Structure formats: structure tokens, C-alpha cells
Amino acid sequence: MITLDSFLDVGQLVILIYFMSINTVYLSFTLIAFSDLIAYRRRLWRGDLRAVLGESAYRPISILVPAHNERETIVPNLRSLMALGYPEFEIVVINDGSSDDTMAVLQQAFSLFPVPAAGRVLIRTQPVRGMYRSLDHPNLVVLDKERGGKSDALNAGLNVSSFPLFCSIDADSLLESDAVLRVARAFAEDERIVAAGGIIRVLNGSLVREGRVVEAQAPQKPMLLCQSLEYVRGFLTGRTTLAELNSLLIISGAFGVFQKDAVVRAGGYNPDSVCEDMELVVRLHRKAREEKKPAKVIFVPDPICWTQIPSDWRSLLRQRDRWQRGLLETIWKHRRMFLNPKYGSVGLFAMPYYLIFEALGPLVESFGYVFVVALWYFGRLETSFALLFFLFAILYDIVLTGLALILDDLLFRRYERARDLARMIAASFIAYLGYRQVLAFTRSFAFLTVFRRKRHWGHIQRTAVSRPQLGTQPTSLPG
Amino acid sequence: MIATAGGPVAGATIFTVLAVLVLALGVIVAAVCLSLMIHHLVSSHRRLRHAARMRRAATLLAPYLVGGNDLPQAVGEARKRLGDRAVADVLRRARTEIKGPRAAAISEALAEMGEVDRLKGIAASRRAWKRMAAIRGLGECGGDEAQQLLLSAVRDPDPVVRRAARDGLLADGRPDSIQAAIGSFLEDVPKRSGWRREFYARMATMASPALLEETVAGRFPPAEEKLAMEALGDVREMRVMSHARARLSASDPEIRATAARVLGKLGDTGSVPALINLLDDSEWYVRASAARALEFIPVDEPALDALGKRLSDSVWWVRADAALSLAGQGEAGANVLITVMEGEDKYARDTAMAAIARTGLTPATRRRLRDILPKLTADPEAASSLAILQAAPGVLR
């Protein structure tokens, strides 16, 4: 018979074991990331990028930009894309049934004219209303289609893209001019690579001029700082290590480069998925292993994509809820891979890791907070012990975050000003004053809403990045 | 949070251990934060100082890098004022951009200031990444001593170091360096095609005559020959034309396709009859390559007719490439497309209409197109292609 005492004891044990496991994993990730990134940095040579630019070893790339109600940001961002330092590329903008005047803005800005939508339909999508090219920019293609969601838009873009590689980016993302070059170099080096992601940095608070980040600055608002910290840690330690173990299951939709052929064979993006980026990568892994073809999904730490993050709580919680539901949905959909040796490291390591630590982590954390209250209520709480343990957990996490910041500063040095770095360090302390807790509970509630179908774009309040005027002062994004 | 179990003594022990761990973590956190800030400040200062020195060194040395005999004196002066590192970095970067006798002068200056000796010391490291960095540096320095070190580095146990050595030898450009790079590459062909493509691309850029000679001599196996030919085509090495023409009749279809593509890139009018024959090849990608190659070569009626027939090919890629080629042939090609549009083959018709919509038409061709409009309008299956044709600027309006 389960008594209250035994339940409380078991609860404590579960939390303790989980706590030790997850922190051991995170520490291992951090140490592996250190070794891997330092080795990567040593291999980098300025001549390599110059060589790719100057020679024909590159592969041409299509940049797919799905757009839905992006009138504020689409033109400056496209202009910055056109200035990308890459030998041969095309930009395919997919207007996904915008209800604002995104299409009219594009037509005016780029002198678009209609062309036949010639091409094989590789993946079925919502109907395409028209295809346009630009008189001024021969490498710009614009598709106007019925609304179908981001995945559907990307599939439509794939149907008309001409090149063997494609890069999917968000309409409000800013790519550094050599970002595509840095990722494409990886594809030139190794033909087994089917997908590669770069690092996503927070644009909020940075200085932008004519679609370029002229100075990276840490945001000022605590909520934005905490998110920035999550991005640094998540990308530099998490994704680096998972990629090293060939267990990376996510490439951000904000910036990822894929082999078109591999994606088409896998069936393209799934329009029914909430998190199409993760679902696609898992399917790529699955398909490769089922077909017994070598396939690598990598993370390239030096190319940078800047993106705006939610600046209000409502958008942030909606985003995290969607991410969590996407994660659960993907794991459930591909549950056959779970602990299945046929799927190699993905089945034996990646899927269990994502389930136990990424998916269940917020649930266990939320349970822990509730459990503390329960212990106090039933008089079983040793307050000093609890506080000490909580302090231990916080400090341990801060150490790991600090190591990620060291890695970032040592190898990539994105923030020049010492005060920005100081802000990031401060954020690692304040993240525990409500931010983490709110997110943990939000993600836990996702377990209840995961089966609610949601195919449409979420709404994040966006700010116009810059105006296309020469010689103006750089614009600072609110942060 | 954790209720003490096992009695007060065990509980006190756990508490003490936890307290010690918390204290230790606190110290670690403080150390991490402090070291991060100190490193940031110190390295910022160093980096900015080095960058400023490099800019000043570049300004001081620029006039002597492109001409004049006073380079050694200028280098000496710059070293006294700005230090060896900044001057060496400027000279190394300059040497990668400057060719000919000036490059030799820069190599001598680097050797004299001890940069080659410094890199030689690092090249003896047990760590592969250090050897690689040193070999890259030696490739940038150039000169006789560096060349000797690169020649021995092509036998390094680490493949990345060997690759760096080959790149350095290619950059050196002297015949014996090129031969050594090719020899090393062929002994040790990388498994990754990306590395191989890069090697050929680099060779074609830095030493195309040597690459051409090796290709024509048949030194490369078929898989490598394709990459070599493609690289020579990309840099528009016209002397590969005769070799590519001969390879149009190779038994390997991939060689035939590559040869066709290369001749297209070079715009070889002499290969048109052979390319027309390839339009009937048994392999679809050979047909597609031949069709695409003809886009870049002005052709006459036999080729236009042959391309027109390919608009009915069973493979979509071949049809698309043939249509693009015809669209690229101006009025003559547009007339063939219009003739196909009048035919019964709906695949060919739609492909032709798509190509026409992207083509600039002369008034005569536009009139001819308008003449066949009634027939197209009457066919419901042509409606969608027709709508796009009518919307395309400069086609019917």
C-alpha cells in the first residue's frame, strides 16, 4: 500500500536521480563542446573562405524565404540577402496567403513581373496563384500562393528552386554576409551531409544599418537577456555536442541549409507538424538509416543568423508552448525509432535524450516546485536543506552557463563591449527569479495541449529592422 | 526539499557535504565570472592593439610591396616600430595576393625576419593542428626554405596536414611544387568528393597549364578526370577544348556528359556536330548536358531541329534543357519553339510555351505567335500555359 510517506520518499528520490542525471549530461555536453569547438576553431583558416569564393568548388544554393504578413520586414531583409557574399544563389520568396499588402510591397520594391510557374511538382502544396521574377534582380523569384502554413510554403519553394542546396530562413532573420558561405563550405567538404545548421543570435538590442548588424549588443530587458543566454548555451554546448554524436534532431527554421534531393526524397516539410524543422530532420535521419545511406546532420558554429525573439511574455509563452508541443509530437510520430538499434545513435541516444531530458525536463522541474510545497504542507520540509539544495542547483547551472559564455567569448567574441558580457553574466543569476519557473510550467501544460492541431503561423510582434537609406544612423532594435 | 532519511547523523553529513559543495560552486562561479571578464578585457585590448599595428604596418609597407627595392629596409623599420607579429601577418597576407617577382621579394623578407624559422619550429609539433597551422603559414610565406618544408609535409601522417601542404605547394606555383602536389594527391586521393573537387578547383585557378597537361596525359583515373575537366572548364581554360572534343566519344557516359558541359562553357562552335549526335545518346544526362551546352554556342538549323526534337524527350530534364537552349538562340530558337507549340505533343508544347515566356521576341516572331493564338485558345488544356504567356511582358504585348 502506498502511504504518504513512501510517496514523498519516492518523489524525492526520483527528483534527486533526475537532477543528477540531467546535470551530468549537461556537464558532459559542455566538456565535449569545449573540445569540439576549440578543434573546429583551430581548423578554420581565412584562406578557406577565400578559396570557396574564388573557385568553383561551391554548390549553388536557393534561399527560401516563407513570408506571411511581413510587410514591415520583408524588403530590408531581402535587400540584405541580395548582398550575401556567395558566388551563385537565388532567393525564392513564398508569399503564403498574406492578408496584408506584403505582395504589393514586394511588387513595388523589386519590379516584379509574372512568369510561368514552370517546374515539376515534387511535393504537393496549396495552389500557387502566380510566380514572379524581378526585372532588377534576376536571381529573385516570388511565389504567391494560397495560405498553407510555413511548411507548405517551404515545400512550394522547393518545387520551384533550381539548385541542389537550399537554405530556409525566416523573413525577419538577418544573415551575416558570409553565413551561407561558411555553411556551404561544409557541404563542399563532405557529400554525406544532408543538413547543416548555424548559430542563431538574438537581434534585439543590436545596432542595425541597412539590413546589417553593425554592432552586436546584449539586450537590456531581463526577459530578453535570459532568452539570449538560452540561445548561447543551447547552440554552443547542446547542438555542438549532439551534432558531434550525429544525434542532432533540430535545425532551426530560422537558418538551416539542406540538400534538396534528400529533403524531397524524405517527402519535404510536414504541413501538419507544429515544429516542422525538427520533424524534417528526424525524418531525414530515419530515411537515411532505412535506406542504409550515410547521412550527417551537422552544426556549424561560425555562420550567424540574427533573429528577433519575443519581447513580450505572451509571445514568448506561445512560442515555447509550440516548441514543446512540436517536440512531443515529433517524438510520438517517430516513436518507432526509440531505442531501436536500426537507427543507430539517433534511436539509441538522441531519441531517449530528447524524451527524457528535453521533453520531460520541464515536467519534472515543475513537479519539483510543486513537490516542495507539498513537503512543506505535510511538515516534511527541512527548509535549510531545501534552500541549500536549490542554491546548489542554481550555482551548478550558472557554472555551466558561464562555461558556455567563456566558449562564446573565447572563440567567437560576439560582444565587444564588456558591459554586454556583464549583462549576460547577470542574466544567468536572474533567470532563476521567475523566468525559468514560468517557462517550465508553460512547457508542462503543453502535455495537455499537444494533440490540439495548430498549423498556422504564430504571431510575434515584430519591429521594422531598418529603413533602406544610405548614410543614416544605425537603428537600434528595442531591447 | 529532501527530508532527511537514515537518521540525524546521516542527515547532518549530507547537509555538510552539500554545504561544502555549494561553497565550492560559489567559488567556481566567482572564478568563472572573473576570469571571463578579465579574459575579455585583456584579449580585447590585445586584439585591438594588434589590428591597429597591422593597419599601420600595411600603410607603411604598401608602397614597397608593389614596387621599389627598399622592401627589406622598410620591413626592418616597420619591425622596430610595430613588432614582428604585425609585420609578418601583413607580409603573409600580401604574398597570397601578389604574384611574380614581388612575391619572391616578400618571401625573402619573411625568411630574413625569421618567420619561416618560427613556423618551422611549430611544424615539428606533435599536435596535428599546430603542424597544420604552421604548414598553412609556410604556404603563405613561400620561398625555397618553405617549399622544402612543404615537400616533406606532404608525407605527414595526418591527412589534414597533407592537404594543407598540397595547398601550399599549389600556391607556390613552381613546376616541381605542382608536380609534388599532384603526386601526393594521386597517392592519397581523399575519399570525400568535396575535397577532391576543391583540389582540382584550386589547381585550375593556380596552375591550369599543369592540370591541363596531366589531364591530357591521361594521368587521372576516370572519376578524377571528370573533376579535372570540369575545373578547367570553369576557369575557361580554352586549351582543354581539343581534349574535351575527343572525350565526347568516351565509353563512360559521365565523361561524355562532362565533356559536353565543358565545351558548352567554352563556347566551342567546332564541337556542334558532335554535340548534336550526343542529343541521341542512350543516357538522359548526356542528352541533357549536350542540350544545355548548345545554349551557349550560336548554332544553325540542324542543331535547332535536333533541339526541337528533344522537346519531346521522355525525360523532363532533357526537355527543359532543350527549351532553355532554344530560348537562348534568339529569333531562330524562338521560331522552333513556336513551331513546336503548333504541334500535337502537349508536353513539348507546354515546355516550349514556358521557354517562350522568358524570351525576348522580335516583332516578326511576336506576329507569328499571335497567329497561332486562336488554335491555342481553342484547346482547353493549353489554357493555363496560355494565361501565363499572355501575362509575360514583351511576349504578346
Side-chain angles (χ1 to χ4, degrees):
Chain A
M1 193 175 97
I2 301 171
T3 62
L4 177 65
D5 279 348
S6 60
F7 172 76
L8 292 177
D9 285 340
V10 166
Q12 289 170 73
L13 200 59
V14 163
I15 289 168
L16 185 62
I17 290 171
Y18 190 87
F19 172 82
M20 285 169 61
S21 312
I22 197 171
N23 284 299
T24 304
V25 166
Y26 284 165
L27 180 63
S28 312
F29 275 23
T30 305
L31 296 174
I32 293 171
F34 250 94
S35 157
D36 200 50
L37 286 173
I38 288 172
Y40 178 84
R41 191 70 181 172
R42 283 173 180 164
R43 284 196 307 268
L44 268 188
W45 178 55
R46 58 175 175 266
D48 283 340
L49 284 188
R50 208 171 48 228
V52 175
L53 264 178
E55 293 150 10
S56 58
Y58 65 87
R59 294 166 80 185
I61 196 165
S62 306
I63 300 179
L64 307 186
V65 185
H68 178 72
N69 293 348
E70 301 285 353
R71 69 176 315 281
E72 290 292 336
T73 55
I74 190 74
V75 171
N77 290 347
L78 282 184
R79 289 200 196 285
S80 78
L81 279 179
M82 280 164 189
L84 275 181
Y86 199 77
E88 189 178 359
F89 67 97
E90 64 176 356
I91 300 172
V92 182
V93 179
I94 310 104
N95 178 42
D96 191 52
S98 296
S99 53
D100 67 2
D101 57 349
T102 298
M103 198 60 214
V105 163
L106 282 168
Q107 273 179 322
Q108 195 189 11
F110 298 107
S111 308
L112 299 180
F113 66 93
V115 291
R120 289 189 301 173
V121 175
L122 301 165
I123 305 164
R124 290 181 71 171
T125 65
Q126 293 296 317
V128 171
R129 297 193 280 233
M131 183 164 141
Y132 301 82
R133 286 192 173 266
S134 167
L135 284 171
D136 305 321
H137 304 278
N139 64 338
L140 175 64
V141 177
V142 177
L143 270 190
D144 185 24
K145 63 181 280 294
E146 303 284 335
R147 191 171 175 195
K150 185 177 174 183
S151 304
D152 192 71
L154 287 167
N155 288 337
L158 273 176
N159 284 337
V160 301
S161 65
S162 309
F163 295 141
L165 297 181
F166 76 90
C167 167
S168 72
I169 72 164
D170 285 345
D172 61 343
S173 300
L174 292 182
L175 283 182
E176 293 211 330
S177 58
D178 59 1
V180 176
L181 198 61
R182 289 177 185 273
V183 177
R185 180 183 60 206
F187 283 88
E189 295 254 316
D190 190 348
E191 63 273 8
R192 295 170 298 175
I193 295 171
V194 294
I199 200 162
I200 309 294
R201 292 270 175 177
V202 170
L203 187 56
N204 305 56
S206 297
L207 290 178
V208 176
R209 180 191 279 146
E210 292 167 23
R212 291 256 165 268
V213 175
V214 297
E215 189 178 338
Q217 293 180 8
Q220 296 195 8
K221 277 171 71 171
M223 189 192 88
L224 296 174
L225 271 174
C226 293
Q227 289 182 71
S228 293
L229 213 53
E230 281 184 300
Y231 276 67
V232 170
R233 195 170 143 180
F235 281 93
L236 280 188
T237 58
R239 295 203 184 182
T240 302
T241 305
L242 289 166
E244 177 67 19
L245 302 171
N246 203 18
S247 301
L248 185 61
L249 299 189
I250 300 176
I251 285 182
S252 291
F255 177 46
V257 179
F258 300 82
Q259 245 197 43
K260 177 178 169 178
D261 187 46
V263 170
V264 168
R265 276 189 290 112
Y269 289 87
N270 181 357
D272 293 330
S273 173
V274 167
C275 246
E276 70 288 335
D277 37 13
M278 180 178 182
E279 202 278 327
L280 173 66
V281 175
V282 174
R283 204 154 15 94
L284 285 173
H285 277 297
R286 183 172 176 169
K287 188 94 175 147
R289 279 163 173 79
E290 285 172 358
E291 291 178 353
K292 292 189 171 57
K293 282 187 179 162
K296 284 173 72 171
V297 175
I298 67 167
F299 172 69
V300 186
D302 48 330
I304 291 181
C305 173
W306 299 89
T307 195
Q308 287 192 51
I309 55 172
S311 52
D312 59 279
W313 277 101
R314 193 168 170 196
S315 299
L316 172 63
L317 297 182
R318 200 182 286 162
Q319 181 195 62
R320 297 307 167 97
D321 171 72
R322 183 172 65 81
W323 286 0
Q324 182 73 5
R325 283 189 289 114
L327 174 63
L328 294 170
E329 203 181 78
T330 303
I331 290 173
W332 178 251
K333 184 177 177 196
H334 297 283
R335 60 192 181 277
R336 194 187 151 151
M337 297 169 74
F338 195 83
L339 292 176
N340 187 336
K342 179 180 173 187
Y343 298 101
S345 59
V346 174
L348 296 174
F349 173 73
M351 295 290 271
Y353 163 78
Y354 274 90
L355 174 65
I356 295 167
F357 297 117
E358 297 291 332
L360 294 179
L363 202 60
V364 174
E365 188 176 342
S366 306
F367 174 71
Y369 297 131
V370 172
F371 198 73
V372 167
V373 174
L375 283 173
W376 166 78
Y377 183 78
F378 290 109
R380 293 285 301 271
L381 185 67
E382 296 254 348
T383 315
S384 54
F385 199 98
L387 281 173
L388 207 58
F389 188 83
F390 193 54
L391 198 58
F392 176 81
I394 293 174
L395 288 174
Y396 190 95
D397 199 64
I398 291 172
V399 168
L400 295 181
T401 305
L403 290 174
L405 285 174
I406 285 177
L407 206 51
D408 189 41
D409 195 62
L410 193 68
L411 299 179
F412 304 108
R413 188 173 213 91
R414 287 303 152 187
Y415 296 120
E416 281 299 334
R417 303 184 313 177
R419 77 182 90 147
D420 290 320
L421 197 57
R423 277 197 205 133
M424 294 291 275
I425 293 171
S428 63
F429 288 86
I430 61 178
Y432 274 90
L433 303 177
Y435 175 82
R436 274 192 68 114
Q437 289 76 12
V438 170
L439 291 190
F441 280 109
T442 303
R443 291 175 66 187
S444 300
F445 282 127
F447 279 85
L448 302 173
T449 59
V450 64
F451 296 111
R452 175 163 54 102
R453 286 191 151 210
K454 190 164 185 182
R455 271 185 284 172
H456 300 301
W457 300 73
H459 176 72
I460 295 178
Q461 192 60 38
R462 291 199 176 96
T463 314
V465 173
S466 65
R467 298 287 174 262
Q469 294 165 19
L470 292 172
T472 55
Q473 289 296 319
T475 309
S476 179
L477 256 68
Chain B
M1 170 180 154
I2 300 175
T4 51
V9 174
T13 309
I14 293 171
F15 189 90
T16 309
V17 167
L18 197 54
V20 167
L21 283 173
V22 167
L23 208 61
L25 275 178
V27 169
I28 292 170
V29 164
V32 163
C33 295
L34 206 58
S35 53
L36 179 56
M37 292 306 299
I38 291 171
H39 170 267
H40 182 88
L41 290 166
V42 168
S43 61
S44 278
H45 172 70
R46 272 196 201 145
R47 221 165 42 85
L48 290 171
R49 191 178 62 178
H50 182 67
R53 284 182 175 181
M54 274 188 68
R55 275 194 302 273
R56 284 162 61 196
T59 308
L60 272 173
L61 294 173
Y64 305 97
L65 289 171
V66 294
N69 297 323
D70 296 334
L71 181 62
Q73 194 179 347
V75 167
E77 191 56 41
R79 283 171 69 192
K80 270 188 223 155
R81 288 163 70 173
L82 302 166
D84 282 5
R85 286 266 31 86
V87 173
D89 278 352
V90 166
L91 288 176
R92 277 166 54 174
R93 284 180 200 222
R95 202 196 158 275
T96 58
E97 307 289 337
I98 295 171
K99 306 287 173 209
R102 295 313 299 169
I106 296 171
S107 298
E108 272 176 39
L110 281 163
E112 203 181 297
M113 64 183 284
E115 179 69 1
V116 175
D117 284 337
R118 186 184 75 85
L119 291 169
K120 185 178 168 185
I122 302 171
S125 168
R126 285 189 305 173
R127 292 181 191 272
W129 72 267
K130 282 192 176 180
R131 294 199 305 277
M132 186 207 71
I135 294 299
R136 291 248 187 245
L138 287 167
E140 289 179 338
C141 288
D144 292 335
E145 198 180 345
Q147 187 203 31
Q148 293 306 312
L149 291 162
L150 291 171
L151 287 170
S152 61
V154 292
R155 287 184 291 279
D156 192 280
D158 188 281
V160 180
V161 178
R162 292 197 298 272
R163 189 182 174 203
R166 285 195 289 265
D167 288 344
L169 287 169
L170 287 179
D172 183 72
R174 283 178 273 189
D176 51 344
S177 298
I178 303 283
Q179 285 301 318
I182 295 176
S184 161
F185 177 80
L186 289 176
E187 277 174 21
D188 177 30
V189 177
K191 288 194 178 59
R192 293 187 194 168
S193 68
W195 283 28
R196 290 175 8 237
R197 259 199 308 272
E198 267 194 32
F199 176 77
Y200 289 111
R202 211 158 283 182
M203 257 207 86
T205 305
M206 293 177 182
S208 66
L211 180 62
L212 174 67
E213 198 182 308
E214 299 296 328
T215 308
V216 170
R219 200 167 161 193
F220 298 122
E224 306 307 312
E225 185 190 352
K226 272 187 333 189
L227 297 174
M229 266 204 297
E230 197 89 63
L232 286 167
D234 287 336
V235 299
R236 304 294 186 265
E237 174 54 75
M238 302 304 277
R239 289 169 292 177
V240 76
M241 228 184 266
S242 53
H243 178 77
R245 278 191 207 164
R247 299 307 267 147
L248 286 176
S249 50
S251 54
D252 184 336
E254 292 195 24
I255 298 276
R256 295 199 296 274
T258 305
R261 280 197 303 276
V262 168
L263 289 168
K265 284 176 195 172
L266 299 177
D268 178 25
T269 50
S271 60
V272 169
L275 287 171
I276 292 174
N277 286 338
L278 275 191
L279 289 173
D280 293 320
D281 195 279
S282 54
E283 295 291 346
W284 71 266
Y285 51 90
V286 179
R287 298 197 300 275
S289 298
R292 200 63 203 273
L294 288 169
E295 181 186 355
F296 306 106
I297 306 172
V299 296
D300 51 17
E301 207 171 311
L304 293 172
D305 286 340
L307 284 168
K309 285 190 188 127
R310 283 300 120 215
L311 293 178
S312 310
D313 195 284
S314 58
V315 175
W316 182 87
W317 283 114
V318 180
R319 298 199 298 272
D321 283 340
L324 278 170
S325 282
L326 284 166
Q329 292 294 333
E331 186 170 350
N335 278 323
V336 173
L337 289 169
I338 293 171
T339 304
V340 168
M341 280 162 62
E342 292 179 279
E344 298 306 316
D345 184 337
K346 292 185 174 25
Y347 271 149
R349 185 192 61 201
D350 285 346
T351 309
M353 286 165 87
I356 278 281
R358 295 180 198 184
T359 308
L361 299 177
T362 62
T365 327
R366 199 174 293 119
R367 271 197 299 277
R368 200 180 151 210
L369 188 60
R370 285 203 192 104
D371 289 342
I372 68 166
L373 265 184
K375 187 180 174 188
L376 292 171
T377 312
D379 183 350
E381 286 182 8
S384 57
S385 292
L386 187 59
I388 291 162
L389 203 60
Q390 285 169 328
V395 174
L396 289 171
R397 293 181 271 127

